[in-house]
Amino acid sequence: MAEEKTSKFGELIKQIEELSVLDLAELVKELEERLGVSAAAPVAMTAAPGAVAGAETPAEEKSVFTLHLADAGTQKIAVIKAIREIRSDLGLKEAKDLVDSAPKEVKKDLSKEEAETAKKKLEEAGAKVELK
């Protein structure tokens, strides 16, 4: 059966092996979005039993954040503009819909620096934001 998988997926595996690290990360992110899954959750769950519970848990710092719009505030136009800066893939209507449907997830899988910058933009526009 292993030979069948190799022949069935051999070309695909070869293509994946030839990808750069950045391209591979982009592929994983796109697959997560299309399939509605997260590759990070299973890894974290499998790593937890092997980790030393008392020693590593307090020292770990979160490295991936989700930007969550808690409340759009009173200056919705400014918040919509900030959303469009953060999510350039959204059109005006989509950004407005996102702001109107708060509380709502704005963007996930952000680095700490990206998340802090985006949070600052939205807060300056008058929104209430949470990093999760």
Side-chain angles (χ1 to χ4, degrees):
M1 184 167 261
E3 290 178 16
E4 182 181 323
K5 286 185 179 181
T6 304
S7 63
K8 185 176 180 180
F9 300 111
E11 185 64 32
L12 179 61
I13 292 170
K14 186 176 179 182
Q15 289 174 340
I16 292 172
E17 288 174 337
E18 293 172 359
L19 292 175
S20 70
V21 175
L22 291 175
D23 288 340
L24 190 56
E26 189 176 318
L27 172 65
V28 169
K29 189 177 276 190
E30 188 166 327
L31 285 172
E32 288 175 342
E33 288 173 5
R34 284 189 184 191
L35 300 175
V37 297
S38 174
V43 173
M45 289 171 42
T46 57
V52 178
E56 291 186 34
T57 306
E60 290 180 19
E61 185 175 326
K62 193 171 180 177
S63 61
V64 179
F65 295 88
T66 298
L67 183 65
H68 189 82
L69 179 66
D71 182 30
T74 57
Q75 298 182 356
K76 287 188 178 182
I77 293 174
V79 175
I80 291 168
K81 286 180 181 180
I83 291 288
R84 293 205 57 214
E85 286 179 33
I86 296 164
R87 293 273 315 267
S88 58
D89 61 316
L90 295 180
L92 184 58
K93 182 180 179 350
E94 291 85 5
K96 180 187 179 299
D97 291 345
L98 191 148
V99 170
D100 288 341
S101 64
K104 184 86 171 175
E105 178 182 288
V106 176
K107 194 170 185 180
K108 62 182 181 177
D109 299 331
L110 295 169
S111 69
K112 184 175 184 177
E113 184 178 309
E114 290 174 315
E116 290 294 332
T117 303
K119 180 180 178 186
K120 184 178 177 184
K121 282 182 184 179
L122 285 168
E123 287 177 341
E124 286 174 354
K128 291 182 183 173
V129 183
E130 298 172 351
L131 294 179
K132 295 183 178 184

